[in-house]
Amino acid sequence: MTARTSDIEKAAGVLRAGGLVALPTETVYGLGANAEDPIAVARIFQVKGRPPSHPLIVHIGGAEQLDDWVEDVPATARLLAERFWPGPLTLVLRRGRRVPLEATGGSETVAVRVPDHPVALALLSAFGGGVTAPSANRFGSVSPTTADHVRAELGDAVDFVLDGGPCEVGVESTIVDATAEIPSILRPGGVTREDLQAVLGFPLAVPTSSRVRVPGQHPSHYAPRARVVLVEPEKVVAEAELAQELGHQVGVFLPPSFAGAPVTVHAVVAVPGSMAAYARGLYGFLRELDQQGCDLIIASLPTEEGLGLAIANRLRRAAGPRPSSVPGLQQH
Ligand code: TXA
Ligand code: MG
């Protein structure tokens, strides 16, 4: 889907005036502001309910603009940018002077990416600068993959929602710390570890949960309202039916091996066999089960290869301890 030229112009005008624009990307919808406007950037944190120490991604229009935003780019970072941009890869590099500390949570590094979406690229071109954007959801909840998700969750808090249709990838970008010649994965995402390794020619470690100050690394992130419980794939049906009998409104993520099996629970999502389709649908499935009134979601982890690594990461976080159990921090 391509947005109308008048919508692109309007969105660029909102950014220039210091407003917030929800914009489509290939991964998820972002909540965008002029990256060089500290007041507009501060509003993002306010609308999301996100602590100001959690850094944002600066979206730029092309790899050739990289040096306008960062300094000291190692050769490996340049290689990754050339190979994967536009695309779902975010590079963390040394902050250039154009980037205000408000956007980086006070850090001397900045996360940068070129989104692979015609509407996002048209907006970046019309606007002319960088657009800093986190996912367009409230802190801790599920990322939006349609314009309707954004409207439902943020409503009037956004000045303009640019509708570019449903997101193709469906999970967020892969974040790579590229400040050193040997990069490392901070968050698995749309570009697979295998793809990165094929370009780099050496293996990359799977991220552990305790390395960096990435809010996606709070165990509680990417969570729907319903509690998510992960079980072994072969136990999904039995556990779901048991929980339903015990009085829960259960939503189940039915693995492809159970396709078509009758399950007596409140709601059923048939998990797609292809990891690309699963990633594309994941956040929509979680939202759907919330909407259907489920209080418990039973799911299992896919094999952690290719996009399965990012899907498993998001499911684990959805199943993690909730921020609502921390006094003073509201999840929704
Ligand atoms: O696909 C995506 O990455 C989407 C779309 C909108 O581009 N954006 C997104 O943004 O997921 P957000 O803010 O929800 O997640 C960005 C992650 C955060 O976990 C943040 O901590 C991390 O990037 N990050 C940003 N700057 C960083 C930095 N300088 N060092 C380490 N991590 C950083
Ligand atoms: Mg997010």
Side-chain angles (χ1 to χ4, degrees):
M1 182 173 181
T2 39
R4 292 202 313 263
T5 314
S6 57
D7 284 342
I8 303 275
E9 286 304 328
K10 184 170 175 192
V14 170
L15 291 175
R16 273 182 218 113
L20 300 187
V21 171
L23 69 149
T25 80
E26 80 282 32
T27 58
V28 301
Y29 273 73
L31 179 61
N34 176 0
E36 293 171 271
D37 180 342
I39 295 170
V41 171
R43 242 188 94 203
I44 291 181
F45 288 92
Q46 193 197 333
V47 166
K48 266 193 76 99
R50 170 156 159 159
S53 58
H54 290 278
L56 306 175
I57 296 172
V58 177
H59 297 71
I60 61 175
E64 72 286 351
Q65 297 169 20
L66 181 61
D67 294 288
D68 298 344
W69 300 94
V70 301
E71 283 169 12
D72 303 336
V73 181
T76 41
R78 252 183 235 291
L79 175 68
L80 293 176
E82 273 163 28
R83 174 61 184 77
F84 292 104
W85 285 354
L89 176 70
T90 295
L91 298 175
V92 172
L93 288 159
R94 280 185 57 76
R95 181 179 71 94
R97 270 193 294 270
R98 253 176 112 167
V99 183
L101 285 167
E102 282 80 359
T104 69
S107 168
E108 284 306 325
T109 59
V110 61
V112 187
R113 86 176 188 101
V114 180
D116 187 14
H117 192 294
V119 174
L121 290 172
L123 175 61
L124 287 165
S125 161
F127 173 57
V131 172
T132 189
S135 52
N137 54 280
R138 307 256 180 218
F139 185 62
S141 84
V142 176
S143 299
T145 51
T146 68
D148 280 344
H149 292 165
V150 179
R151 291 187 196 105
E153 186 155 343
L154 298 180
D156 292 343
V158 191
D159 299 305
F160 189 62
V161 178
L162 195 51
D163 193 340
C167 301
E168 275 290 310
V169 176
V171 292
E172 297 82 352
S173 60
T174 303
I175 302 179
V176 167
D177 181 346
T179 50
E181 283 294 344
I182 305 287
S184 59
I185 297 176
L186 302 180
R187 174 180 77 182
V191 168
T192 66
R193 179 163 70 126
E194 293 85 346
D195 285 345
L196 290 167
Q197 290 175 164
V199 167
L200 292 171
F202 52 81
L204 290 172
V206 179
T208 60
S209 55
S210 59
R211 296 193 43 214
V212 281
R213 21 186 305 238
V214 176
Q217 295 217 338
H218 279 258
S220 51
H221 258 71
Y222 313 109
R225 234 184 338 263
R227 194 156 70 88
V228 178
V229 172
L230 300 173
V231 302
E232 295 300 318
E234 59 279 7
K235 294 195 182 138
V236 161
V237 171
E239 295 279 351
E241 288 182 334
L242 178 62
Q244 183 77 31
E245 270 171 38
L246 291 173
H248 285 287
Q249 296 287 73
V250 176
V252 66
F253 271 35
L254 198 62
S257 52
F258 285 93
V263 197
T264 46
V265 293
H266 186 66
V268 177
V269 164
V271 170
S274 114
M275 285 298 130
Y278 192 2
R280 192 177 308 127
L282 178 65
Y283 291 141
F285 299 153
L286 292 172
R287 276 174 193 269
E288 211 174 286
L289 293 181
D290 264 350
Q291 244 164 29
Q292 292 187 33
C294 297
D295 66 90
L296 185 63
I297 296 173
I298 305 283
S300 60
L301 295 177
T303 308
E304 295 183 54
E305 291 165 8
L307 280 172
L309 186 64
I311 295 168
N313 173 275
R314 303 308 189 268
L315 284 172
R316 278 207 187 87
R317 308 227 178 267
R322 294 305 170 84
S324 49
S325 62
V326 178
L329 187 56
Q330 286 254 307
Q331 194 188 347
H332 288 282

